[in-house]
Structures are given as structure tokens and as C-alpha cells.
Amino acid sequence: MPRSIHIIGAGLAGLASAVQLAAQGMRALVYEATNQAGGRCRSYLDPALGIVIDNGNHLVLSGNRAALGFLDMIGARVRMFEASSASFPFIDLASGERWTIRANDGAIPWWIFDRNRRVPGTSARDYLALLRLLRAAPGATIGELLDCKGPLYERLLGPFLLAALNTEPPESSAALAGAVIRETLVAGGRSFHPLFARDGLSAAFIDPALRFLESNGGTIAFGQRLRALAFDAGHITGLDFGDASVPLSPGDAVVLAVPPVVAASLIPGLSTPTEFRAIVNAHFRLDPPAGLAPMTGVVNGMVEWLFVFPDRLSVTISGADRLLDTPREELAARIWQEVAKIAGIAGRLPPWQIVRERRATFAALPAENAKRPGARTDWNNLLLAGDWTATGLPATIEGAIRSGNRAAELIRKVT
Ligand SMILES: Cc1cc2nc3c(=O)[nH]c(=O)nc-3n(C[C@H](O)[C@H](O)[C@H](O)COP(=O)(O)OP(=O)(O)OC[C@H]3O[C@@H](n4cnc5c(N)ncnc54)[C@H](O)[C@@H]3O)c2cc1C
């Protein structure tokens, strides 16, 4: 009889664990509180628009090796559209100026020496400042190490770091920024080709993972909210789902892959991040005009990134707590004005949807980063996973999948 591993939470961290464990011949039993898998990375049929949209636009970069490894494992790499180069078009909404950053693929970044490829108004020397982030002390903020102003910051670093950290860069952890930059910008253009889930996040990351699980002896049960864990000396002995309880056999283990607030309520004395940041997405249903880049960075606007899908234009605004109380109609109208300008569209507001994820990610502050626990717990058959655990990365797909992989690895080694 193979060992049963009980995975609580069917977000990317839980699914990554489950897929790894099932591939190794263990019984991966996933329990999800809601009636849908994917957690913060999912698609759904939106009633206002009448089309399937994602809860938020998610960008993956070609240097996200765990994310790509996961897609390869579940046979879904083809569901992602990878740009053929590290090119990022930008527009400055205040001046109307447009430019495209075009990094070369190799490890030596000669693009920063070419004024037609680097950020307008910068010199190659400006980019050296990035190296300071690579050696950042755990308590340092980006603002302590970088001058958060000037063309390089305003036109590339600020937007890039805000998107990666979902927290205003000057107050954010320099170490987390350094980790992202080391694996992308500093690793050469080949590591930051953008990848998009053109047919939706669930079609790429979630549905194929569920199919993989099922064909490898795993199961997923929806509507199963874990209420309590049964603790014994150094061990978890059972799971309490309210209506049902599941006793654990010797050799069984649990991967708890739920958000931090839930984990803290289930495990006494667990340290977790407690401060969060919101992300606002606006979706407009229309046939996008031909020739728009899949993604455009926006400077001096409320819009930060514009994504193009076959049936809609979608906008991402990170660190968006300031917009949580703005009436939805007002937000839609203001964002649409900017979108029309960026996309060169005239016309009235099309059907729209605003999705506000209040707790999109933990706040990437040094103090919050310090609260992240490792995967091991005081109970040897209980492992933690989630983008908020101590992955060394900000809350991202890459971090979530790495955490799930790590928990699966420890199951083999520790329990
Ligand atoms: C709008 C938005 C945009 C984003 N953009 C990007 C991006 O561009 N690039 C990027 O890399 N990352 C992005 N992210 C971050 C990324 O989505 C997350 O890092 C990742 O999805 C987190 O996965 P997770 O498994 O750690 O957590 P979650 O997705 O939160 O999964 C936890 C799961 O546990 C379930 N659960 C909760 N309580 C219980 C319980 N008691 N019992 C059973 N199940 C329970 C939840 O329902 C959920 O399914 C974005 C996030 C948001 C919200």
C-alpha cells in the first residue's frame, strides 16, 4: 500500500506538491475548501462579461524554472505563449512617449550599452546600481540601497519591482528584490522572456495538473475546509473537516498549503506574515485592435500593465490598497480612459469587470519577510507550503511552486 499524503489547499503550492508526490508513486489526496482549484491563480466564467477570465493577469518569466518545470511535468508548457525575446514595450501617459526595452539573450548584457535597446534617458552605468540589491542584508529596504528616482527607476525598475513584489519598492525588502533580479535581469535576456497564459490560467496551470493527479492515483475533494489538525507528541494523527474526520496511518503525512492566516489559525504558535497588499485588475470585453503587443508597461498612469487577450484587454494595478474603496464604476471609467489612449481606441466604455484581490500577496517588507516559516514544523509529518513560506522569493507563482516542490522533497527525506 503506498503512503498517503494529505495535501490541504489546491492552490499552486498544494498542486505542485501533489503532482510531485503522485509522480513518485505516493497517494496524493488533495482537499480544497472551495469548489474550484487554483486559489489565487485561477480562471472563472465572469457573469458580467459572459466570458472566462482570470482572477488576475499573471506574468511568468522564462527564468522561472520551477514554474516551467511544473508545466512540463503536467504537459502544459504548450498552453503558455512565450515571447521570442525579452522585449517590453512601454508608454509614458504623461508625455505620450513610447519605447521598447530589448534585452539580448546572452549573459553579457550588451543591450544596456545600446541606446536603442535600453531605457531612454539612461546610461549603461545606471544599471550597475542593480548589483547592490544582490548583496542586500536581510533587513535592508530597496530605498536604502537605490535612489528610487530618475529615468531607470521610473521607467523600468520601479514598474518591474512593484509588479514582482506587489509592495511599493522603496519600503520593500531589498533581499527579495535581489533574488528576483538575480534570476531574471542579471541572468541575461534568455531568463526574462515573458510568458502568458493566453487561454487562461486554469487551462495552463490548473486543469492539466488535476488531470495529471487523477491519472497518477491522486484525488481531489472540493468543499473540504480543514477545521483542525489532531496533534500528538511530534506527530499529526488526524484531520478534522467538521462533517468528516480523517485518521492518519503511520507513514502518512500532511502538506498544509493554505494561506498564512488560515495556517496560523490551525497551528499553535506559527509565525507568518500578517500584512498584505491588494491587486486590482480591470477587464474590458472587446476585440482588441490588431498590432497591440501582448503586454505594455505604463508609466505615469493609474494603469501599470496592459495585457491583450483574444477577447479582452486587461489591466493590472499592484500595491493597490489605495483603490479598494473607490467605487467600481469610477474605477472602470478612469481605467478605460487610459486603456483607450494606450491602445489607440476611440469609443464608449465596453462591458467591464473590476476584480479586487484584497490579500493578493503578503507585503514584501523586510519585517514581513522575516516572519516567513520554513517548510518543516515541530510535527515531523506536517510540512508547510505556500508563496508566503520562506522561499527566498516574493509571493509569486515561482515561489508557490518551489515551496510545494520543497515540501514534497522533505516528505521523502524527513517523514
Ligand atoms: C491578482 C493577482 C495577480 C497576481 N499576479 C502574479 C503574477 O503576475 N506573477 C506571479 O508569479 N504571481 C502572481 N500572483 C501571485 C500568485 O497568484 C500566488 O503567489 C500563488 O497563486 C499562490 O499560490 P498558493 O498555493 O501559495 O496559495 P493560494 O493560491 O492562496 O492557495 C491556497 C488554497 O488553499 C485553500 N484553502 C484555504 N483554507 C483552506 C482550508 N481550511 N482547507 C482546505 N483548503 C483551504 C484556498 O481556497 C486556496 O485554494 C498574483 C496574485 C494575484 C491575487
Side-chain angles (χ1 to χ4, degrees), residues 136-172:
T141 61
I142 296 173
E144 284 162 2
L145 300 189
L146 290 188
D147 203 7
C148 293
K149 53 185 189 317
L152 179 62
Y153 181 79
E154 282 150 20
R155 298 180 148 200
L156 175 63
L157 281 186
F160 176 74
L161 291 173
L162 178 58
L165 301 161
N166 193 31
T167 306
E168 285 302 326
E171 61 170 353
S172 293

Side-chain angles (χ1 to χ4, degrees), residues 9 11-13 32-33 39-40 57-59 224 226 257 259 386-387 396-397:
L12 282 174
E32 165 57 44
R40 279 171 281 152
N57 305 311
H58 280 59
L59 177 68
Q224 297 295 315
L226 184 72
D387 62 357
T396 50
I397 288 180

Side-chain angles (χ1 to χ4, degrees), residues 23-101:
Q24 291 159 22
M26 291 182 228
R27 283 183 72 212
L29 310 173
V30 182
Y31 307 84
E32 165 57 44
T34 66
N35 59 9
Q36 194 188 348
R40 279 171 281 152
C41 178
R42 66 184 189 285
S43 313
Y44 69 97
L45 176 61
D46 186 82
L49 298 181
I51 55 174
V52 173
I53 62 173
D54 295 331
N55 68 311
N57 305 311
H58 280 59
L59 177 68
V60 173
L61 295 175
S62 49
N64 293 159
R65 59 179 190 275
L68 299 190
F70 175 75
L71 290 166
D72 284 338
M73 192 144 181
I74 60 176
R77 182 78 167 259
V78 292
R79 293 295 192 156
M80 298 296 282
F81 166 76
E82 178 174 346
S84 57
S85 63
S87 292
F88 296 87
F90 275 87
I91 177 171
D92 181 337
L93 276 183
S95 65
E97 193 184 350
R98 290 179 188 259
W99 66 95
T100 299
I101 293 160

Side-chain angles (χ1 to χ4, degrees), residues 191-240:
S191 296
F192 54 103
H193 291 193
L195 280 90
F196 313 94
R198 219 165 22 184
D199 302 325
L201 292 169
S202 291
F205 285 95
I206 311 304
D207 301 340
L210 297 182
R211 284 195 292 274
F212 181 96
L213 259 191
E214 275 164 22
S215 50
N216 286 277
T219 61
I220 176 153
F222 292 107
Q224 297 295 315
R225 184 175 297 278
L226 184 72
R227 308 280 171 187
L229 293 156
F231 298 96
D232 199 0
H235 257 76
I236 300 298
T237 56
L239 305 172
D240 174 3

Side-chain angles (χ1 to χ4, degrees), residues 7-15 31-34 36-41 55-60 64 163 224-227 241 256-260 262 266 279-281 307 316 355 357 359-361 385-388 394-401 403:
I7 296 132
I8 317 298
L12 282 174
L15 290 177
Y31 307 84
E32 165 57 44
T34 66
Q36 194 188 348
R40 279 171 281 152
C41 178
N55 68 311
N57 305 311
H58 280 59
L59 177 68
V60 173
N64 293 159
Q224 297 295 315
R225 184 175 297 278
L226 184 72
R227 308 280 171 187
F241 290 98
L256 190 64
V258 296
V262 180
L266 291 167
I279 296 181
V280 169
N281 276 262
F307 290 81
T316 296
V355 183
E357 291 269 6
R359 283 186 181 166
T361 70
D387 62 357
W388 55 275
T396 50
I397 288 180
E398 178 67 10
I401 292 178
S403 77

